[in-house]
Amino acid sequence: MTYCVGMYLKDGLLFASDSRTNAGVDYITSYSKMYVFTPAPDRMFVILSAGNLAITQEIIHRIQRDLDYPGDGENFLSARYLFEATDYVSRISLEVQNKHYTTLQQAGVSGEVTLILGGQIEGQPHGLMMIYPQGNYIEASDKTPYLQIGETKYGKPVLDRLVHYELSLNDAARLALVSLTSTANSNITVGPPFELSTYQADQYQLSGRCTFNYNGNFLDQLEESWKLGLQQAFENLPSFEWELTPQSDQQMSFNECEFYQGQKSYQK
Amino acid sequence: MTYCVGMYLKDGLLFASDSRTNAGVDYITSYSKMYVFTPAPDRMFVILSAGNLAITQEIIHRIQRDLDYPGDGENFLSARYLFEATDYVSRISLEVQNKHYTTLQQAGVSGEVTLILGGQIEGQPHGLMMIYPQGNYIEASDKTPYLQIGETKYGKPVLDRLVHYELSLNDAARLALVSLTSTANSNITVGPPFELSTYQADQYQLSGRCTFNYNGNFLDQLEESWKLGLQQAFENLPSFEWELTPQSDQQMSFNECEFYQGQKSYQK
C-alpha cells in the first residue's frame, strides 16, 4: 500500500513517506510519494500521496503544468492561504479521479487518492492538511499534531505515545522513521527507501531532505537501537503478583486473578 | 470492534481479549469475548471471538447445549484431535451465520464471526487455531506462534518484535497486555477490562485466569512502565549525522541527506 506521515510542530513541519508501490504481486516496485514545490521565494509546499499511483502522478503533472503555464486559474503561486492551495489541489484531485472513474470501476480498481499537503506562504503560519479522496480536507493542530495516510494503523501507537507539538524536528524525524519501520516490519506492502523532509518555520524552503535504506547506515542503527530499547522496556515490565508469591498446590486468589496450580477440578 | 490474541508457546498457551462491544455510538458496552470449556478431565478448550456478538453468543450457547445433551453428533467431548474440535465449532459458526444471513444483509449488518480456538486433548499436543468466517481454519506453529482477531493492526508491531515460541507464559502475558493496551490507546472500539488466561501444557485446565482494568493496580503499573520504557528507547535512538556536525550556512551533503541551511534558493 503506502505509508506517509506529516507532523505539525511548533518549530516547523516533518514529512516522511515510504516508496513501495504494489500493482499486484508481479509488480511491486519503488516510486517516491513525496513531492516538493518551491515555486517562489515566499512559499513552499510538500505533497505526500497514498492511493492510486497513476492518479497521483497525473495530479502532480497538472500542478507542475499550472506553474509552467499559469493562465487565469488558481495555482500554487496565486494562493494567499494554505487552505486555498489545499482547495486547488483538492479540485485537481477530484478532476483526475472523476476522469478515470468509470474505466477503473469497470476493472474493479480504486482510483482514490488521499493526500497530505503541508507548507507555508509568507505572511501566514505554516500548516499541514489532509485531503480526502472526496475532496474535503482537514487541518492538523497543536492538539492533533500528526496526520497519516495509507497503511496507518501499525505505525500509529508509537506516534500516539510519543508525538507532541513541541517535539524538535530531529526528534520528530526519528519518531517518523520508527513509525515507518514498525509498519514495514509488519506489512509487506510498505517498504524502503524511506524519504524524510524537514521544514523550519518561516524559511520557505526545506531545511533537509533525506533518503534512507537498509544499507548498513543510519536506518540499520536506528532499527537496532529501537529493537534493543523495546527489549529493555519489555524486560522492565512489572512482575505479576503470583510471580512474587511462592508457588503452592492450592488455588490462589489475587486482586485480579485466580490460579489453579495443581488442582484437578473441572468446571464448565 | 474487538481485539483478541492467542499465543502458541512451548510451555503452553496464552489467551487475551478485550471486552468492549460496539453496536453504534449509543450502545457501547462490555461483554467477555473469552469462553473456557473444561468438559472432562482430559480436555480443555478456550474460544476467543471477534465479529458479530449475537452470532458468537448463539454459537457458544449451542456448544454448551451439545455438552448438556450430547446426542449422536460431534461435540467437544467426542473430538479426538484439536482439529476435530475446530471443525465442529466451524460447522456451528457457519450454521448460525447462515441462519441470520438474509435478515442481517437486508439491514446492511455483517454477521461474520472470526474465532480463535485453543486447547488440548489428552494424548495430543496443545494447539491454537483460527477459524475464519467462511469456516476454514489455520493453525499456529512455532514459526507463527501467535494469532490475532479483530482490530489487529495496532497491536501487531510489538508482537512481531518480541514474540517467540520459547517465551514464558508470564512474559507472554505481559506482551499480550502491551499489545492490548497499545491497541486500546489508538482505537476507541477496543477497551478494558482485558481478560487473560494461561494454560500450561498437559494440564487440561487453565493455570490462571485474570481480569485487568485501569483501577490503580497492575494494568496501570504496566502501562506506566511501558510508557517510560518507550520514552527511554526513544531518547536512546542514534543522532543523525548533521546533529554531530557544526552548523554552517552552506549546503551540506551527507551520505543520505541534503541540507539547505540558510541558503535561499528556490527550485521546483
Side-chain angles (χ1 to χ4, degrees):
Chain A
M1 211 166 143
T2 281
Y3 176 43
C4 305
V5 55
M7 296 189 202
Y8 167 68
L9 308 161
K10 190 158 126 224
D11 288 352
L13 301 165
L14 184 287
F15 302 94
S17 56
D18 89 311
S19 53
R20 186 163 293 172
T21 59
N22 179 4
V25 293
D26 294 315
Y27 200 67
I28 293 174
T29 180
S30 193
Y31 281 100
S32 174
K33 298 161 198 185
M34 180 180 290
Y35 307 92
V36 182
F37 297 89
T38 42
D42 70 339
R43 52 194 59 218
M44 189 227 56
F45 307 102
V46 176
I47 292 175
L48 305 176
S49 64
N52 190 296
L53 179 68
I55 304 287
T56 296
Q57 292 185 345
E58 189 171 337
I59 292 168
I60 299 302
H61 281 307
R62 288 186 180 216
I63 291 173
Q64 189 57 57
R65 181 174 65 184
D66 283 350
L67 290 174
D68 297 336
Y69 299 94
D72 290 329
E74 283 227 18
N75 64 24
F76 272 161
L77 286 167
S78 60
R80 293 158 299 175
Y81 298 87
L82 185 64
F83 96 86
E84 285 185 344
T86 309
D87 213 70
Y88 158 72
V89 172
S90 148
R91 266 181 287 116
I92 297 186
S93 172
L94 279 174
E95 264 174 48
V96 180
Q97 288 184 70
N98 289 338
K99 169 182 164 189
H100 295 280
Y101 178 76
T102 311
T103 48
L104 287 179
Q105 197 199 30
Q106 282 163 359
V109 173
S110 167
E112 292 199 340
V113 154
T114 313
L115 304 170
I116 284 174
L117 167 66
Q120 189 174 14
I121 296 162
E122 194 165 2
Q124 296 292 320
H126 61 287
L128 188 72
M129 317 283 261
M130 178 161 73
I131 307 173
Y132 293 110
Q134 295 74 25
N136 49 344
Y137 43 89
I138 60 169
E139 185 169 10
S141 72
D142 59 347
K143 293 183 179 40
T144 308
Y146 73 89
L147 297 168
Q148 303 167 289
I149 56 175
E151 190 61 67
T152 62
K153 293 186 174 188
Y154 302 100
K156 187 174 188 286
V158 74
L159 296 178
D160 282 337
R161 296 227 196 234
L162 293 167
V163 84
H164 61 91
Y165 181 60
E166 281 88 11
L167 215 55
S168 72
L169 284 171
N170 287 321
D171 279 344
R174 273 182 277 271
L175 182 55
L177 285 176
V178 168
S179 187
L180 276 159
T181 56
S182 297
T183 303
N185 285 343
S186 289
N187 184 292
I188 207 173
T189 67
V190 171
F194 300 125
E195 290 186 79
L196 215 74
S197 289
T198 52
Y199 172 73
Q200 282 174 5
D202 306 324
Q203 298 302 306
Y204 313 107
Q205 65 172 33
L206 293 179
S207 45
R209 188 162 186 183
C210 303
T211 303
F212 294 105
N213 213 330
Y214 292 110
N215 53 7
N217 292 332
F218 184 77
L219 194 63
D220 292 82
Q221 295 170 34
L222 180 120
E223 179 87 331
E224 198 52 43
S225 172
W226 186 249
K227 262 195 235 175
L228 283 172
L230 278 190
Q231 185 65 43
Q232 196 61 58
F234 183 53
E235 283 165 17
N236 290 341
L237 288 175
S239 300
F240 291 104
E241 269 186 280
W242 61 84
E243 292 180 277
L244 308 168
T245 307
Q247 292 292 298
S248 87
D249 270 352
Q250 303 184 346
Q251 178 158 343
M252 295 190 285
S253 282
F254 298 93
N255 208 7
E256 294 147 317
C257 300
E258 295 293 322
F259 269 81
Y260 312 108
Q261 288 284 80
Q263 219 191 354
K264 287 288 186 194
S265 71
Y266 77 89
Q267 63 243 16
K268 288 181 187 151
Chain B
M1 211 163 144
T2 282
Y3 177 41
C4 305
V5 54
M7 296 187 202
Y8 167 69
L9 308 162
K10 192 159 128 225
D11 287 351
L13 301 165
L14 183 288
F15 302 93
S17 55
D18 90 312
S19 52
R20 186 163 292 173
T21 59
N22 177 5
V25 295
D26 294 314
Y27 201 66
I28 293 174
T29 180
S30 195
Y31 280 100
S32 174
K33 297 161 198 186
M34 181 179 287
Y35 307 91
V36 182
F37 297 89
T38 41
D42 71 338
R43 54 193 58 217
M44 189 228 55
F45 307 102
V46 176
I47 292 176
L48 305 176
S49 64
N52 189 296
L53 179 69
I55 304 287
T56 297
Q57 293 185 346
E58 190 171 336
I59 292 168
I60 299 302
H61 281 307
R62 289 186 180 215
I63 291 172
Q64 189 57 57
R65 182 174 66 184
D66 283 348
L67 290 173
D68 296 337
Y69 298 95
D72 290 329
E74 283 226 21
N75 64 22
F76 271 161
L77 285 167
S78 60
R80 293 158 300 175
Y81 298 87
L82 185 64
F83 96 86
E84 284 184 345
T86 309
D87 213 69
Y88 159 72
V89 172
S90 148
R91 268 181 284 117
I92 297 186
S93 173
L94 279 175
E95 264 174 51
V96 180
Q97 287 185 70
N98 290 337
K99 169 183 166 188
H100 295 280
Y101 178 77
T102 311
T103 47
L104 287 178
Q105 197 200 28
Q106 282 163 359
V109 172
S110 166
E112 291 197 343
V113 154
T114 313
L115 303 170
I116 284 174
L117 168 65
Q120 189 174 14
I121 296 162
E122 195 165 3
Q124 296 292 319
H126 61 286
L128 188 72
M129 318 281 259
M130 177 161 73
I131 307 172
Y132 293 110
Q134 295 73 25
N136 49 345
Y137 43 89
I138 61 169
E139 185 167 11
S141 72
D142 60 347
K143 294 184 178 41
T144 308
Y146 74 89
L147 297 168
Q148 304 167 290
I149 57 175
E151 191 61 68
T152 63
K153 294 186 175 187
Y154 302 101
K156 188 175 189 283
V158 73
L159 297 177
D160 283 338
R161 296 226 196 234
L162 293 168
V163 83
H164 60 91
Y165 180 60
E166 281 87 12
L167 216 55
S168 72
L169 284 171
N170 287 321
D171 279 344
R174 272 181 277 272
L175 182 55
L177 283 177
V178 169
S179 186
L180 276 159
T181 55
S182 297
T183 303
N185 285 344
S186 290
N187 184 292
I188 207 172
T189 66
V190 171
F194 300 124
E195 290 186 77
L196 214 74
S197 289
T198 53
Y199 172 73
Q200 282 174 5
D202 308 324
Q203 298 302 306
Y204 313 108
Q205 67 171 32
L206 293 180
S207 45
R209 186 162 187 185
C210 303
T211 303
F212 294 105
N213 214 330
Y214 292 110
N215 53 8
N217 291 331
F218 184 77
L219 194 64
D220 294 80
Q221 295 169 35
L222 181 122
E223 178 88 330
E224 197 53 41
S225 172
W226 185 249
K227 261 195 238 177
L228 283 172
L230 279 191
Q231 186 64 42
Q232 196 60 57
F234 183 52
E235 283 165 18
N236 289 341
L237 288 175
S239 300
F240 292 104
E241 269 187 279
W242 62 84
E243 290 181 278
L244 309 167
T245 308
Q247 292 291 296
S248 88
D249 269 352
Q250 302 183 344
Q251 178 158 344
M252 295 190 286
S253 281
F254 298 95
N255 209 9
E256 295 147 316
C257 299
E258 296 293 323
F259 269 81
Y260 311 109
Q261 288 285 81
Q263 218 190 356
K264 285 291 186 191
S265 71
Y266 75 91
Q267 65 243 19
K268 291 188 187 144

